[in-house]
Amino acid sequence: MFTSRRLITAAAAIALLSGCASQNPYENQGQAQGSSGISKTAKYGGLGALAGAVAGAAIDHNNRGKGALIGAAVAGAASAGYGYYADRQEAALRESMANTGVEVQRQGDQIKLIMPGNITFATDSSNISSSFYSPLNNLGNSFKQFNENNIEIVGYTDSTGSRQHNMDLSLQRAQAVSNYLTSQGVDGSRLSVRGAGPDQPIASNADANGRAQNRRVEVNLKPIPGQQYSQPAQQ
């Protein structure tokens, strides 16, 4: 029992060290760090390894200490790998989307791109605006380079008009973006589309500027379930 406890304690230490030791090439860039100054890679590695240690101990009832060590090593490597991958993709997207009007957000293990209506679609239209082609081309190039994410495209509208019309229009906008990215060589099996209509507004619909912000497209990048990220993708 004493030996098992010592091994589990060691597994917890591995969990912490796997996070701290993960290399992060963006450690001096604010967008790749959390508010505490710890890189996202380190957070994923440490938390993933700790979870793996617990799972490993639970699975190997006969030797909980050994199971915890194995679980910590495997889960820590995979989690840190995705954190590193997402750090690199986030930095590349921020560079390619600079001065395009597209906002890049990092939310835990997901990356969100917000594309406002003043560059995407005209009012009551699902035809891609001319100002939208350049950001979409940059996005397509990025998605071909970083091809280990699922890509969810969500269309939104303002509150003008009937709800059903807005739901249909928002789906058409999301589909238009998906079709264009596919035409640029992005693997269509990675893409999913959804229309949210006027739901979840990010600004007031009482004025034209607010309605333009709500008439947006959001692209959500998520890890592929079961994907192994222990080795970062090479550029």
Side-chain angles (χ1 to χ4, degrees):
M1 178 65 70
F2 179 69
T3 300
S4 177
R5 287 178 178 175
R6 286 197 302 179
L7 286 172
I8 292 175
T9 301
I14 290 175
L16 294 175
L17 289 173
S18 67
C20 295
S22 300
Q23 293 184 349
N24 177 14
Y26 309 117
E27 61 185 0
N28 294 321
Q29 299 182 22
Q31 66 268 25
Q33 296 237 358
S35 58
S36 65
I38 301 174
S39 73
K40 291 182 176 65
T41 304
K43 289 181 181 179
Y44 292 127
L47 293 176
L50 187 58
V54 174
I59 292 171
D60 193 342
H61 297 286
N62 295 324
N63 194 336
R64 292 179 182 273
K66 181 180 179 181
L69 286 171
I70 295 173
V74 173
S79 299
Y82 182 72
Y84 177 71
Y85 179 89
D87 284 350
R88 293 173 60 223
Q89 186 174 27
E90 178 191 5
L93 283 169
R94 288 187 183 279
E95 181 178 0
S96 66
M97 293 295 121
N99 303 315
T100 65
V102 176
E103 180 182 354
V104 181
Q105 294 183 354
R106 181 74 174 270
Q107 301 177 347
D109 63 350
Q110 299 183 26
I111 300 173
K112 180 190 292 288
L113 297 102
I114 303 175
M115 307 170 178
N118 62 338
I119 66 168
T120 55
F121 301 97
T123 303
D124 201 27
S125 173
S126 60
N127 295 323
I128 294 174
S129 297
S130 59
S131 58
F132 199 20
Y133 284 113
S134 179
L136 284 179
N137 289 336
N138 292 345
L139 202 59
N141 289 333
S142 177
F143 289 166
K144 286 183 288 185
Q145 178 183 1
F146 293 90
N147 59 1
E148 297 183 52
N149 301 88
N150 282 330
I151 305 168
E152 180 191 41
I153 304 169
V154 188
Y156 294 88
T157 67
D158 59 36
S159 61
T160 305
S162 72
R163 176 174 177 80
Q164 186 58 56
H165 175 72
N166 285 326
M167 294 299 291
D168 293 341
L169 179 60
S170 63
L171 179 58
Q172 292 165 8
R173 287 173 171 169
Q175 190 64 59
V177 172
S178 175
N179 290 344
Y180 187 80
L181 290 174
T182 302
S183 75
Q184 297 304 299
V186 178
D187 182 0
S189 66
R190 300 170 57 203
L191 303 174
S192 64
V193 298
R194 179 166 60 89
D199 296 345
Q200 301 176 329
I202 58 175
S204 171
N205 280 301
D207 58 78
N209 180 62
R211 289 192 294 273
Q213 293 182 60
N214 292 332
R215 258 187 341 264
R216 70 196 187 278
V217 173
E218 294 186 359
V219 176
N220 302 312
L221 308 180
K222 306 175 181 181
I224 299 173
Q227 178 76 26
Q228 294 297 316
Y229 292 97
S230 57
Q231 295 296 324
Q234 297 297 316
Q235 292 189 4

